[in-house]
């Protein structure tokens, strides 16, 4: 193997560790949190020429923060699973030898540092949330993911906190919008629960539980319409699209919990986080803002064709 080929394989290994398609879904969390903070309307005004570009500064820092935090979390997922992957997924970057365990650890640590540092550029509260996400990700990767209850809950908290990180663009709004974290918590809990059988197959009861959790999420994103600042009719088309994308795959995985069916459900579920975020974002900031978030979906899907999602 020549040097050029070796370099390509090495760099690809680093990108595989970071799961680029998944990071794009984390951007969507920030955008929906940004909308819920009331800043989404200002962003639309900016597009219309009625606001200055200063509103983009905290958003840019938060997008960089979530890139580092999510990237670091997913890298450490493979670091902690290195021995297991050597048996079950030998083609992954670390067991295949394309990235050493030491370098993967350094990469994950650097990404976490970037994420926390970027968050502190917005506010001390944003920085505190970033630290919480970092600790929660490490707890999940090292211990919680092996537990059938605390694993899904822990991962859901990571994702819910990521949405809260977007809300922290306006720190004072967090006390009013904290409940929004429950939506990704429940959604991710469903995905994480069903993903436990993606290697050896799962149990039907787990698939049924995941479907119940998805139904709760779909109900909740429309029930937000009771809030005066949330327009359910704007969210409805996105909610229908979300249901069409995820329910058939989750139903199939629940009926036939084979590894392939479960992996497909998990992949669609992860990528559809963007649709979930677009749904909630449209309720808070309008149809056009929701469509802007939804643009991330084809980007994430294209990256998913190049780099693994799970």
């Amino acid at each position: 193997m020549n040097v050029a080929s070796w370099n390509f394989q090495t760099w690809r290994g680093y990108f595989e560790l970071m799961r680029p398609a998944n990071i794009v879904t984390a951007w969507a969390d920030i955008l929906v949190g940004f909308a819920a903070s009331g800043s989404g309307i200002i962003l639309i005004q900016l597009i219309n020429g009625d606001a200055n570009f200063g509103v983009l500064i905290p958003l840019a820092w938060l997008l960089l923060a979530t890139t580092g935090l999510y990237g670091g979390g997913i890298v450490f997922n493979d670091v902690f699973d290195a021995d297991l992957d050597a048996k079950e997924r030998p083609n992954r970057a670390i067991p295949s030898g394309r990235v050493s365990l030491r370098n993967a650890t350094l990469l994950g640590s650097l990404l976490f540092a970037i994420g926390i540092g970027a968050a502190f550029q917005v506010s001390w509260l944003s920085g505190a949330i970033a630290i919480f996400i970092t600790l929660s990700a490490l707890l999940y990767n090292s211990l919680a993911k092996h537990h059938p209850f605390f694993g899904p809950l822990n991962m859901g908290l990571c994702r819910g906190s990521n949405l809260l990180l977007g809300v922290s663009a306006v720190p004072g709004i967090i006390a009013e919008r904290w409940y929004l974290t429950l939506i990704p918590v429940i959604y991710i809990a469903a995905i994480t629960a069903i993903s436990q059988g993606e290697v050896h197959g799962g149990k039907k009861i787990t698939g049924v539980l995941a479907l119940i959790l998805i139904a709760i999420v779909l109900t909740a994103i429309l029930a937000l319409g009771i809030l005066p600042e949330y327009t359910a009719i704007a969210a409805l088309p996105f909610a229908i699209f979300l249901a069409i994308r995820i329910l058939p795959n989750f139903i199939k995985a629940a009926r036939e919990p084979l590894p392939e069916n479960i992996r497909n459900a998990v992949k669609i579920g992860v990528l559809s986080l963007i649709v979930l975020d677009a749904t909630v974002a449209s309720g808070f900031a309008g149809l056009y803002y929701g469509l802007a978030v939804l643009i991330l979906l084809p980007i994430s899907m294209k990256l998913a064709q190049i780099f693994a999602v799970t």
Side-chain angles (χ1 to χ4, degrees):
M1 182 181 295
N2 58 42
V3 174
S5 176
W6 182 87
N7 285 336
F8 172 78
Q9 292 297 329
T10 301
W11 284 107
R12 179 180 174 84
Y14 285 120
F15 278 107
E16 287 179 8
L17 283 174
M18 293 172 61
R19 311 287 203 282
N22 302 41
I23 288 178
V24 175
T25 70
W27 294 349
D29 290 344
I30 297 298
L31 289 173
V32 69
F34 195 71
S37 74
S39 301
I41 299 297
I42 299 175
L43 193 59
I44 295 297
Q45 292 173 347
L46 173 63
I47 295 173
N48 293 330
D50 298 326
N52 62 62
F53 283 91
V55 299
L56 293 181
I57 295 176
L59 177 60
W61 280 120
L62 292 174
L63 289 172
L64 177 59
T66 197
T67 299
L69 296 171
Y70 196 100
I74 206 71
V75 168
F76 270 103
N77 175 74
D78 283 19
V79 168
F80 282 103
D81 278 357
D83 292 336
L84 181 63
D85 285 343
K87 301 175 183 177
E88 297 183 346
R89 298 178 179 182
N91 292 327
R92 279 189 166 179
I94 296 175
S96 68
R98 287 174 291 141
V99 178
S100 69
L101 185 62
R102 175 179 177 274
N103 285 347
T105 303
L106 289 174
L107 173 63
S109 301
L110 176 61
L111 288 169
F112 274 144
I114 290 173
I116 293 172
F120 269 109
Q121 300 306 308
V122 178
S123 70
W124 69 266
L125 184 56
S126 299
I129 294 172
I131 291 174
F132 177 80
I133 293 172
T134 298
L135 296 176
S136 296
L138 290 173
L139 176 62
Y140 174 79
N141 288 324
S142 60
L143 295 172
K145 68 179 171 184
H146 302 296
H147 194 281
F149 174 76
F150 290 108
L153 177 62
N154 192 165
M155 178 54 72
L157 284 173
C158 289
R159 202 77 197 211
S161 300
N162 194 46
L163 187 154
L164 206 62
L165 186 62
V167 178
S168 73
V170 182
I173 300 296
I174 286 184
E176 299 177 25
R177 299 281 188 268
W178 65 268
Y179 56 84
L180 292 175
T181 61
L182 297 177
I183 294 176
V185 165
I186 297 172
Y187 184 85
I188 288 298
I191 295 176
T192 307
I194 203 170
S195 72
Q196 294 175 2
E198 65 180 340
V199 176
H200 301 295
K203 300 178 181 178
K204 289 186 177 181
I205 186 63
T206 305
V208 172
L209 173 62
L211 278 171
I212 292 173
L213 293 175
I214 292 297
I216 293 174
V217 169
L218 291 171
T219 302
I221 56 181
L222 294 178
L224 287 172
I226 63 174
L227 301 174
E229 61 273 14
Y230 189 89
T231 307
I233 192 65
L236 182 58
F238 297 93
I240 293 173
F241 181 42
L242 176 63
I244 292 173
R245 273 185 60 84
I246 61 176
L247 287 180
N249 291 279
F250 269 71
I251 291 172
K252 184 175 182 179
R255 287 179 174 175
E256 302 176 49
L258 302 174
E260 181 180 357
N261 292 341
I262 291 174
R263 282 193 293 269
N264 286 336
V266 171
K267 180 178 179 179
I268 293 296
V270 170
L271 296 181
S272 294
L273 272 160
I274 294 173
V275 185
L276 173 63
D277 287 338
T279 305
V280 180
S282 65
F284 280 107
L287 178 64
Y288 292 120
Y289 190 97
L291 289 173
V293 176
L294 194 61
I295 289 174
L296 294 176
L297 180 59
I299 298 174
S300 185
M301 291 175 65
K302 185 63 178 179
L303 288 171
Q305 294 175 0
I306 304 173
F307 302 102
V309 172
T310 63

